[in-house]
């Protein structure tokens, strides 16, 4: 039998007999407790009229500052097949009492109709990248029958939207869950109802609202409340909060898989060496097994992330070989590690785009990554780390040490929150400790662009751009990568 015949005769399953359409009018009305205006089928679900594509269902959400019903005509102009509304319209629709509640009910119906293994991911650092890597592994193993939340759709709107988009044929689902306050993940995990609950790490992100790392660990541990019977908790074995997380998982009747370097980790790092492409070659133990694979993403933090991915894929019943291939092929995400070659005098400069998020742990990790990157000069463009509250000044000032360890040649500090670090860098340095790091302190992204232009890029430079999304450092990346080539 030739290869084509073997492919065509690939074993099927009950999933393959399910409907190809994402939803039809009858199913939508039943799920949301609404009334359909007629018969129709949709291939997607969207809440932003600007993002609507042909075949989508547009859900007209009503919020404190805007009303999605104002954008119904635009949604249909962009290709919407129907809309979910709380008032009658002329176009095809499902009429409900409350569109926000309707979206949550649709999410519940989507979760209830699949026979998929569901993975929920949270953590202070790395959850989006880990979620994408787990999805890539499970999608490869399932011949495209995996689903995940896109972008950072991890809040009270993004999670139900991501669930509502899950096809009935899905064999795996991977959902990210975020939080700013205690109690928020509890509500999200009740919707996702994961078979595998992943916590990437615990770090002082959102400490302004929660007050301590212990409280952050407790808030993240809320993900275990939604675990399905017999579910598995995947937690960081090297964390000082490991026992706290483990006990919270065991209290929910979960199996526990720890990952990391510690002797008690079920997925344990044995060795990691640099790879030619800037990533790592990793050897890990999983019980009596030895896992050997490549990680394309550079940095020590991605070695730890890879162990987390392997543990999650194993717990979900996925293919570890596919996971290894996925990790070897992963590229950086926009705002979360994407790398760009930018034309500069004498060759090309490297831009590392980490402009979407920042907290003390991720700042140290990415600065260490910058320090390990071969470069003629290293430049750091750093914006504020938000939601640190009274802890903020101290955490920003403490960035001096990782900047020095990374041997940064020039630093551009953006925003008033960076004043404590500017003061630290402005202090005299004893001759025995080398030279002070030259820096500029800018008010916003526009000034940062001007400062970097004035400093002057050159071939061989490596530039790290990192800060919380609200600082707007994506503008800096966009400005310079327009020269990409």
């Amino acid at each position: 039998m030739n290869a084509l015949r073997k492919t065509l005769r690939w074993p099927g399953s009950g999933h393959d007999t399910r409907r190809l359409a994402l939803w039809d009018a009858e199913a939508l009305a039943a799920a949301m407790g609404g009334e359909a205006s007629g018969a129709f089928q949709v291939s997607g679900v969207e809440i932003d009229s600007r993002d609507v594509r042909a075949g989508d269902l547009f859900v007209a959400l009503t919020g404190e500052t805007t009303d999605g019903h104002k954008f119904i005509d635009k949604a249909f102009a962009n290709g919407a097949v129907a809309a979910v509304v709380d008032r009658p319209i002329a176009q095809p629709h499902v009429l409900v009492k409350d569109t926000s509640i309707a979206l949550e009910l649709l999410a519940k119906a989507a979760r209830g109709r699949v026979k998929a293994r569901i993975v929920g991911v949270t953590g202070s650092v790395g959850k989006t990248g880990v979620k994408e890597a787990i999805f890539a592994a499970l999608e490869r193993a399932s011949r495209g029958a995996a689903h995940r939340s896109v972008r950072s759709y991890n809040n009270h709107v993004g999670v139900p939207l991501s669930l509502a988009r899950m096809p009935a044929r899905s064999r795996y689902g991977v959902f990210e869950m975020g939080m700013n306050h205690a109690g928020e993940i509890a509500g999200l995990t009740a919707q996702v109802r994961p078979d595998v609950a992943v916590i990437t790490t615990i770090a002082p992100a959102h400490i302004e609202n929660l007050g301590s790392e212990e409280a952050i660990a407790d808030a993240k541990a809320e993900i275990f409340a939604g675990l399905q019977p017999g579910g598995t908790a995947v937690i960081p074995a090297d964390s000082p909060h490991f026992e706290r997380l483990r006990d919270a998982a065991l209290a929910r009747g979960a199996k526990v898989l720890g990952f990391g370097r510690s002797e008690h980790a079920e997925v344990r790092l044995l060795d990691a060496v640099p790879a030619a492409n800037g990533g790592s070659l990793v050897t890990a133990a999983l019980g009596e097994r030895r896992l050997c694979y490549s990680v394309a993403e550079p940095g020590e933090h991605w070695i730890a992330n890879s162990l987390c991915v392997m543990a999650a894929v194993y717990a979900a019943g996925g293919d570890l070989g596919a996971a290894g291939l996925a990790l070897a092929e992963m590229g950086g995400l926009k705002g979360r590690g994407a790398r760009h070659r930018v034309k500069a005098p004498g060759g090309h400069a490297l831009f590392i785009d980490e402009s979407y998020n920042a907290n003390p742990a991720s700042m140290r990790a990415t600065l260490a990554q910058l320090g390990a990157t071969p470069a003629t000069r290293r430049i750091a463009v750093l914006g504020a780390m938000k939601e640190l509250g009274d802890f903020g000044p101290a955490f920003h000032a403490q960035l001096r040490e990782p900047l020095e360890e990374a041997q940064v040649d020039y630093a551009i500090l953006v925003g008033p929150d960076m004043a404590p670090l500017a003061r630290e860098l402005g202090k005299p340095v004893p001759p025995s400790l080398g030279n002070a790091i030259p820096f500029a302190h800018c008010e916003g992204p526009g000034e940062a662009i001007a400062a970097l232009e004035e400093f002057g890029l050159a071939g061989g430079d490596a530039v790290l751009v990192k800060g919380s999304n609200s600082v707007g450092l994506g503008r800096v990346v966009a400005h310079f990568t327009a020269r990409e080539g």
Side-chain angles (χ1 to χ4, degrees):
M1 185 181 295
N2 62 33
L4 176 59
R5 286 184 179 178
K6 287 181 179 180
T7 300
L8 293 175
R9 292 183 61 181
W10 192 288
S13 76
H15 292 78
D16 299 325
T17 64
R18 294 172 179 251
R19 293 180 178 179
L20 289 171
L22 182 62
W23 297 100
D24 61 29
E26 182 181 0
L28 287 168
M32 295 186 286
E35 183 178 348
S37 63
F40 54 80
Q41 293 184 334
V42 302
S43 56
V45 182
E46 188 53 73
I47 59 172
D48 190 327
S49 61
R50 297 167 296 184
D51 295 332
V52 167
R53 296 183 179 182
D56 278 352
L57 172 74
F58 175 63
V59 184
L61 296 180
T62 301
E64 294 180 1
T65 59
T66 188
D67 184 351
H69 293 81
K70 295 178 180 179
F71 305 99
I72 286 173
D73 288 341
K74 183 176 181 180
F76 278 96
N78 286 343
V81 170
V84 178
V85 293
D86 62 15
R87 65 207 70 165
I89 59 173
Q91 300 96 326
H93 63 272
V94 178
L95 183 63
V96 299
K97 292 181 179 179
D98 185 305
T99 54
S100 295
I101 293 175
L103 180 60
E104 293 181 3
L105 290 172
L106 186 60
K108 181 179 180 180
R111 177 64 182 91
R113 71 178 180 173
V114 297
K115 296 181 179 179
R117 295 282 290 174
I118 303 297
V119 181
V121 182
T122 192
S124 300
V125 183
K127 55 183 175 291
T128 300
V130 166
K131 177 257 297 181
E132 290 292 324
I134 294 171
F135 165 74
L138 297 176
E139 184 186 43
R140 180 186 288 268
S142 64
R143 297 181 289 145
H147 173 76
R148 95 301 204 171
S149 49
V150 298
R151 304 177 191 171
S152 291
Y153 281 11
N154 60 19
N155 63 10
H156 68 286
V157 175
V159 168
L161 176 62
S162 298
L163 282 164
R165 291 170 167 175
M166 182 165 51
R169 291 177 167 224
S170 298
R171 298 182 182 182
Y172 297 99
V174 190
F175 298 92
E176 180 179 338
M177 287 173 264
M179 46 75 71
N180 293 310
H181 298 85
E184 291 177 344
I185 287 181
L188 300 178
T189 193
Q191 297 180 63
V192 174
R193 292 162 42 213
D195 299 290
V196 181
V198 176
I199 295 179
T200 58
T201 190
I202 301 298
H206 314 301
I207 199 168
E208 175 183 19
N209 301 323
L210 292 162
S212 68
E213 281 198 16
E214 289 77 11
I216 293 169
D218 291 341
K220 297 295 184 184
E222 291 172 13
I223 193 174
F224 305 140
L227 267 174
Q228 295 290 83
T232 301
V234 174
I235 59 178
D238 302 332
S239 171
H241 308 289
F242 170 77
E243 291 185 0
R244 194 180 197 95
L245 297 175
R246 181 200 61 196
D247 292 347
L250 292 174
R252 295 287 180 174
K255 304 170 190 173
V256 174
L257 276 181
F259 64 90
R261 299 173 182 269
S262 300
E263 288 293 327
H264 61 264
E266 284 77 15
V267 180
R268 182 165 57 90
L269 180 68
L270 298 178
D271 189 32
V273 297
N277 65 351
S280 304
L281 301 174
V282 176
T283 304
L286 174 54
E288 296 299 317
R289 300 188 191 188
R290 292 295 180 269
L291 308 177
C292 300
Y293 55 90
S294 298
V295 180
E297 292 279 13
E300 284 285 325
H301 58 298
W302 261 103
I303 295 173
N305 285 349
S306 76
L307 300 173
C308 179
V309 171
M310 287 295 183
V313 170
Y314 174 74
D319 186 324
L320 295 176
L325 292 172
L327 289 165
E329 295 175 358
M330 280 283 289
L333 305 174
K334 181 180 178 181
R336 301 177 184 274
R339 294 187 161 213
H340 305 272
R341 276 169 45 92
V342 173
K343 292 179 181 178
H348 289 84
L350 170 67
F351 263 71
I352 304 171
D353 179 11
E354 289 275 359
S355 60
Y356 189 84
N357 200 9
N359 58 52
S362 65
M363 274 288 198
R364 286 182 173 272
T366 50
L367 283 168
Q369 176 187 330
L370 176 65
T373 300
T376 305
R377 299 182 302 179
R378 297 183 180 90
I379 302 163
V381 182
L382 304 181
M385 302 177 288
K386 297 295 187 180
E387 297 186 17
L388 296 177
D390 294 340
F391 300 89
F395 278 124
H396 284 89
Q398 290 166 11
L399 293 177
R400 174 177 174 170
E401 180 183 349
L403 279 167
E404 291 173 342
E405 291 175 350
Q407 298 183 312
V408 168
D409 297 284
Y410 186 56
I412 298 175
L413 314 180
V414 186
D417 292 314
M418 278 292 174
L421 178 57
R423 288 192 292 271
E424 281 295 313
L425 294 180
K427 291 179 179 179
V429 177
S432 60
L433 297 180
N435 299 321
I437 298 174
F439 71 94
H441 189 194
C442 305
E443 183 175 335
E447 285 189 17
I449 291 170
L452 189 49
E453 291 278 20
E454 183 178 351
F455 180 73
L457 286 179
D461 286 348
V463 184
L464 169 66
V465 182
K466 185 165 182 67
S468 292
N469 189 43
S470 61
V471 181
L473 294 186
R475 285 178 54 195
V476 178
V477 177
H479 176 83
F480 288 97
T481 55
R483 313 172 185 177
E484 197 167 1

